[in-house]
């Protein structure tokens, strides 16, 4: 985390751990505000890579699942990064900004993924760098968020994945039933933006953003789940995170075969677990027969108690009856989107 930004967040009451704001002293109230009001969240738990150079687009086109050529500076997209067997190594939120591309991902994966990308640059005119400390990232969510942003910015994106670049920052609208935006800015502008946004929002920690992402049905890949899922298993096709027209990329043969030659047999579901222990990403899920039926993808404390999760589940296990995490039933909830066939 940028040292100056960290000092600013501490002055705002943040409890910092592992390079991000865990909470602002009232975790339960913060979670309630995420569900019923509005929250302002530091997003330093997310890393940000910058890919530049004359061959940047061509290079990434051969690396990720989505069509990088569609990024024109006014939009974003989800994109998977697979191994040759089509298993996800990372999941990016990708967008273009002026003459370079940005890839946002879980910060714990940033170093190994950056190293892996650099291995494949070879003689291409491409640079891959970590800009997490030079670009501050904050999230705002709630019914009043759009109006609050209009007090600061001349333009606010109206549609999911719409991106607007302005002189004091970049504003991106994220998908989900609860209005959500991400703001990218320099350390020179970020504190003033934060101060203005907090007038209409409760300051909240990373767990609140995790819960909001889960409600929006957005998966993630962390070290514990690397190489566990083919992109369709975490609904990346439904989230328009896979292009089936753009041509070859690492793992493309497996991903395409899954799409064209058969129905996807495992899908990620939104669910609630009434437990006092938090499930972890990568934990196994069992079916009524006690056999493995899937894995936890994401997990966060729920405002009503217990935990809300995204869980990758074998569809035949759901059809056969209930599924469980450590003998705790997963109460399946409706996703905010319809799964692709």
């Amino acid at each position: 985390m940028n040292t100056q930004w960290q000092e600013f967040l501490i002055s705002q009451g943040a409890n910092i751990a592992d390079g991000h704001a865990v909470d602002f002293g009232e975790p339960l109230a913060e979670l309630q505000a995420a569900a019923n009001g509005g929250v302002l969240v530091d997003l330093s738990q997310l890393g940000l890579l910058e890919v530049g150079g004359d061959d940047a687009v061509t290079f990434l086109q051969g690396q990720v699942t989505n069509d990088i050529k569609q990024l024109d500076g006014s939009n974003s997209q989800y994109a998977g990064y697979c191994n040759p067997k089509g298993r996800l190594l990372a999941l990016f939120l990708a967008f273009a900004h002026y003459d370079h591309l940005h890839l946002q991902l879980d910060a714990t994966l940033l170093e190994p993924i950056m190293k892996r990308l650099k291995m494949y640059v070879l003689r291409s005119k491409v640079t891959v760098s970590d800009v997490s400390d030079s670009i501050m990232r904050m999230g705002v969510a709630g019914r009043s968020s759009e109006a609050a942003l209009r007090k600061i910015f001349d333009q606010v994106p109206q549609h999911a994945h719409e991106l607007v670049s302005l002189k004091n920052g970049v504003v991106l609208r994220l998908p989900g039933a609860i209005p959500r935006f991400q703001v990218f800015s320099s350390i020179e502008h970020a504190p003033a933006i934060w101060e203005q946004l907090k007038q209409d929002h409760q300051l909240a920690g990373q767990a609140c953003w995790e819960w909001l992402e889960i409600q929006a049905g957005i998966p993630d890949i962390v070290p514990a789940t690397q190489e566990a899922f083919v992109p369709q298993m975490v609904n990346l096709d439904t989230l328009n995170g896979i292009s089936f027209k753009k041509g070859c990329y690492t793992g493309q043969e497996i991903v395409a075969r899954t799409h064209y030659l058969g129905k996807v047999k495992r899908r990620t579901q939104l669910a609630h677990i009434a437990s006092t222990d938090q499930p972890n990403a990568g934990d196994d899920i069992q079916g009524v027969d006690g056999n493995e039926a899937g894995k936890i993808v994401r997990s966060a404390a729920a405002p009503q108690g217990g935990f809300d999760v995204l869980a990758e589940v074998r569809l035949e296990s759901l059809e056969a009856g209930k599924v469980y995490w450590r003998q705790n039933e997963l109460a399946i909830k409706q996703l905010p989107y319809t799964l692709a066939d």
Side-chain angles (χ1 to χ4, degrees):
M1 179 187 284
N2 179 290
T3 302
Q4 189 175 342
W5 183 241
Q6 177 172 306
E7 291 174 352
F8 171 76
L9 290 174
I10 291 173
S11 75
Q12 298 285 302
N15 292 314
I16 304 292
D18 298 325
H20 64 267
V22 177
D23 60 55
F24 285 81
E26 300 180 281
L28 183 57
E30 294 166 23
L31 193 55
Q32 294 292 340
N36 303 310
V39 289
L40 171 61
V41 185
D42 165 56
L43 297 182
S44 297
Q45 76 273 14
L46 303 174
L48 192 64
L49 291 174
E50 181 178 292
V51 183
D54 293 344
D55 299 330
V57 172
T58 302
F59 169 70
L60 281 182
Q61 194 76 336
Q63 298 293 321
V64 302
T65 60
N66 218 336
D67 188 353
I68 295 297
K69 293 180 180 179
Q70 298 300 313
L71 296 175
D72 59 8
S74 68
N75 61 333
S76 72
Q77 61 181 218
Y78 293 112
Y81 185 38
C82 299
N83 67 11
K85 295 182 179 180
R87 297 275 167 163
L88 284 166
L89 297 168
L91 199 155
F92 300 132
L93 178 63
F95 60 94
H97 187 242
Y98 296 122
D99 59 350
H100 48 256
L101 295 155
H102 280 130
L103 303 174
Q104 183 173 270
L105 71 163
D106 184 271
T108 59
L109 291 179
L110 188 143
E111 288 294 335
I113 292 300
M114 180 169 62
K115 182 178 179 181
R116 187 182 181 93
L117 285 170
K118 287 181 176 180
M119 284 174 51
Y120 292 100
V121 168
L122 302 176
R123 296 180 181 178
S124 300
K125 295 179 180 178
V126 175
T127 60
V128 183
S129 55
D130 176 8
V131 294
S132 305
D133 283 349
S134 59
I135 300 176
M136 308 305 105
R137 300 164 306 289
M138 64 187 83
V140 287
R143 293 182 295 274
S144 64
S145 294
E146 183 175 342
L149 288 164
R150 289 191 181 281
K151 298 176 185 177
I152 307 169
F153 299 103
D154 295 334
Q155 188 178 352
V156 177
Q158 299 296 298
H159 309 290
H161 288 293
E162 183 182 351
L163 181 144
V164 176
S165 295
L166 302 154
K167 62 181 180 180
N168 54 343
V170 172
V171 184
L172 171 64
R173 187 159 191 149
L174 298 169
I178 298 173
R180 293 191 304 141
F181 300 84
Q182 189 169 345
V183 178
F184 303 83
S185 190
S186 66
I187 190 61
E188 289 77 19
H189 294 295
I193 294 171
W194 180 279
E195 289 283 4
Q196 288 178 275
L197 287 173
K198 82 172 188 179
Q199 296 175 19
D200 300 285
H201 298 85
Q202 166 106 25
L203 301 186
Q206 179 263 341
C208 293
W209 197 257
E210 189 74 9
W211 181 81
L212 288 164
E213 287 274 271
I214 289 169
Q215 301 315 300
I218 309 301
D220 198 12
I221 299 297
V222 297
T225 55
Q226 280 189 300
E227 303 186 79
F229 309 121
V230 169
Q232 289 96 327
M233 292 180 185
V234 293
N235 307 344
L236 203 57
D237 51 343
T238 299
L239 293 166
N240 298 315
I242 306 172
S243 171
F244 295 103
K245 298 179 180 179
K246 72 163 192 165
C248 294
Y249 56 86
T250 304
Q252 182 262 345
E253 182 179 353
I254 303 300
V255 177
R257 185 185 305 162
T258 302
H259 176 70
Y260 289 113
L261 298 183
K263 185 176 180 180
V264 180
K265 297 180 180 180
R266 307 173 77 110
R267 283 292 192 179
T268 291
Q269 311 288 334
L270 175 61
H272 180 76
I273 299 176
S275 170
T276 55
D277 296 323
Q278 180 166 4
N280 295 311
D283 285 357
D284 286 338
I285 294 167
Q286 292 78 37
V288 290
D289 56 3
N291 292 327
E292 182 273 336
K295 289 184 181 296
I296 299 292
V297 177
R298 300 186 86 155
S299 167
Q304 73 273 29
F307 297 89
D308 286 340
V309 301
L310 290 177
E312 176 263 348
V313 183
R314 190 188 300 272
L315 295 179
E316 66 179 12
S317 296
L318 281 179
E319 293 168 0
K322 301 173 182 178
V323 292
Y324 300 87
W325 170 81
R326 297 184 185 175
Q327 300 181 338
N328 296 281
E329 181 186 348
L330 273 69
I332 304 299
K333 302 166 68 176
Q334 186 173 354
L335 284 162
Y337 49 76
T338 301
L339 291 171
D341 293 331

